[in-house]
Amino acid sequence: MTDRPNYLPERLALLADLNAARYLTDGLLSGKEDVPAIELNKITEPLPHDDRSRAELAPVRDLIDDALYQFRDDRPTSADAWLAPRLHATLRLTRREAADRRFWNYLGLGVAPDYVVWRHMAATSEGGASRVAARRFQGPAYTQAFARLWWAAELFRDGPDYAPVVTVCGIQDMLNTALRMDMVDHRPTAQAMVRLMERGTVRTGREVNALVAAVNASAATLLYDAVAPDADRDGKPLRHWIEEAESAPAVPRRDLPIGPYEEKTPERSVDVLVDHFAELFAGAPVRGRRAADEETGGGEV
């Protein structure tokens, strides 16, 4: 199985798409080879900022090592809900920084290719040998192994509260589907969907997919930000949180970390959308729901 890089520099870096593609070999994607770490680090680019604490590689690698150890006997998908908020709080990125694919290319290939292989190794559709899809190392934000976790934490945290992120990452279909939709950038929309999951209204992957599809379709005719306005976003708490990285301790492993002290999502707006989304979901087609209703005596008489 692909191992931890045998060379890790002191600082994180950027790795361009063309350079990253050179290392996506069959051996790596099948988990049989390691990434040639020294060679890879010769073609990286420095981070655009000079914040020493945010550029340190060791805290990120230590966090990933802890995830690998803690979930070594569990299903790899179980690690997502634990790692997402802690990765977000460790990196302390702006959205502009997080939109740079080169950063995630480097995390996937230069910092933790062993984690990517462990987490995303899957059997091929033809039933052949297991492989990791190349997009888990180098891909869009909703598929790349670490970018998807960071963006899930960014879009579903409620100000400083990462608890909604844990809920979202508990169902893989929420990560796989919702992150592709622009609507989750509207905080009341994101939090309303989380609330339905917390209440048990939406519990399975199929139900999540039905909810997301219904909410997305409704957004074409109903402006969610008009009926459920968000609070005005102030950039100062985020900037202050990023500046605090210099003196911040390592993120806690047992308790959830605390994010930027931004104002939480307006409760009234969330309540409005919870009611609306519950109605949408009640009428949404969910594969297998009719059969389940018939078995349990549910459904319309």
Side-chain angles (χ1 to χ4, degrees), residues 1-3 26-34 117 121 129-130:
M1 187 69 75
T2 298
D3 203 356
D26 286 340
L28 174 64
L29 298 181
S30 61
K32 297 177 181 178
E33 293 180 0
D34 297 335
V117 169
M121 180 69 74
S130 296

Side-chain angles (χ1 to χ4, degrees), residues 177-301:
T177 305
L179 289 184
R180 300 170 185 259
M181 307 295 183
D182 292 340
M183 63 184 183
V184 297
D185 196 29
H186 180 237
R187 294 197 308 163
T189 295
Q191 294 305 315
M193 290 194 292
V194 171
R195 194 72 53 84
L196 289 176
M197 295 171 68
E198 291 172 343
R199 291 180 178 178
T201 304
V202 177
R203 295 170 296 176
T204 67
R206 291 179 179 179
E207 291 175 346
V208 161
N209 288 332
L211 172 66
V212 172
V215 170
N216 192 51
S218 177
T221 57
L222 179 64
L223 296 176
Y224 293 150
D225 55 353
V227 299
D230 195 359
D232 291 335
R233 304 294 294 274
D234 182 357
K236 290 182 180 178
L238 176 62
R239 290 194 297 271
H240 182 64
W241 185 68
I242 289 175
E243 291 168 358
E244 284 184 331
E246 188 70 32
S247 58
V251 297
R253 278 16 182 193
R254 293 191 177 184
D255 299 325
L256 283 176
I258 298 174
Y261 282 101
E262 297 173 327
E263 185 174 350
K264 286 196 170 188
T265 313
E267 193 67 24
R268 182 181 178 281
S269 293
V270 176
D271 290 341
V272 167
L273 291 183
V274 165
D275 292 340
H276 178 60
F277 292 169
E279 292 180 6
L280 293 176
F281 177 69
V286 180
R287 189 158 54 94
R289 180 158 65 178
R290 181 180 295 276
D293 286 343
E294 291 174 354
E295 291 177 2
T296 59
E300 295 182 358
V301 177

Side-chain angles (χ1 to χ4, degrees), residues 143-157:
T143 61
Q144 203 277 345
F146 297 113
R148 68 197 287 267
L149 298 181
W150 189 94
W151 281 103
E154 173 66 12
L155 294 171
F156 287 98
R157 65 181 174 86

Side-chain angles (χ1 to χ4, degrees), residues 75-217:
R75 291 172 59 89
T77 53
S78 302
D80 287 353
W82 185 88
L83 184 57
R86 291 169 176 84
L87 182 69
H88 185 275
T90 297
L91 294 174
R92 301 202 181 202
L93 302 173
T94 65
R95 288 193 177 190
R96 176 174 292 184
E97 291 168 340
D100 191 338
R101 286 167 52 118
R102 296 175 300 168
F103 181 81
W104 305 111
N105 291 345
Y106 185 71
L107 252 64
L109 287 163
V111 178
D114 53 324
Y115 182 90
V116 179
V117 169
W118 172 81
R119 169 60 185 84
H120 291 286
M121 180 69 74
T124 61
S125 58
E126 295 81 10
S130 296
R131 290 175 63 85
V132 180
R135 64 181 181 273
R136 299 302 186 181
F137 288 98
Q138 176 195 10
Y142 50 82
T143 61
Q144 203 277 345
F146 297 113
R148 68 197 287 267
L149 298 181
W150 189 94
W151 281 103
E154 173 66 12
L155 294 171
F156 287 98
R157 65 181 174 86
D158 192 8
D161 183 10
Y162 284 113
V165 180
V166 176
T167 300
V168 165
C169 293
I171 299 181
Q172 287 298 303
D173 290 85
M174 193 67 172
L175 279 174
N176 296 337
T177 305
L179 289 184
R180 300 170 185 259
M181 307 295 183
D182 292 340
M183 63 184 183
V184 297
D185 196 29
H186 180 237
R187 294 197 308 163
T189 295
Q191 294 305 315
M193 290 194 292
V194 171
R195 194 72 53 84
L196 289 176
M197 295 171 68
E198 291 172 343
R199 291 180 178 178
T201 304
V202 177
R203 295 170 296 176
T204 67
R206 291 179 179 179
E207 291 175 346
V208 161
N209 288 332
L211 172 66
V212 172
V215 170
N216 192 51

